[in-house]
Amino acid sequence: LQHQQHQQRRQAPQVSTVAGGDRGDLGAFLAAASLDKHLRVLQDHEIDSVESLRLLTESDYKEMGFSIGVRRRLL
């Protein structure tokens, strides 16, 4: 299962990085997936780049309070 999650993260849509992956980059990535309303929660947990987002596991998202549907879309 972890291998599958890792592969899914690697296949996530690519968003070009500006200034090394700033918050706008993460915002654009989330907006492209219609998940931009969740940006604040991620920022509150100090997730501020797409690269950081890809390191998160389903357990991490669950701990932050994301619903199963959102967790599936982010993984």
Side-chain angles (χ1 to χ4, degrees):
L1 181 62
Q2 286 179 336
H3 179 69
Q4 288 175 332
Q5 290 172 344
H6 179 70
Q7 290 292 9
Q8 288 173 343
R9 277 193 295 271
R10 296 180 98 209
Q11 295 171 5
Q14 295 293 317
V15 176
S16 63
T17 57
V18 177
D22 64 8
R23 289 182 188 158
D25 187 40
L26 180 59
F29 179 86
L30 293 173
S34 299
L35 294 170
D36 48 315
K37 70 180 185 178
H38 302 288
L39 179 60
R40 184 69 188 163
V41 173
L42 293 166
Q43 290 173 336
D44 288 346
H45 286 90
E46 299 183 23
I47 306 301
D48 58 2
S49 69
V50 175
E51 186 174 320
S52 295
L53 187 74
R54 290 182 176 157
L55 297 174
L56 299 175
T57 65
E58 182 173 5
S59 178
D60 295 328
Y61 288 119
K62 188 174 184 177
E63 188 174 321
M64 287 187 271
F66 287 105
S67 69
I68 192 165
V70 171
R71 291 193 314 258
R72 293 291 178 234
R73 290 170 63 193
L74 287 167
L75 289 172

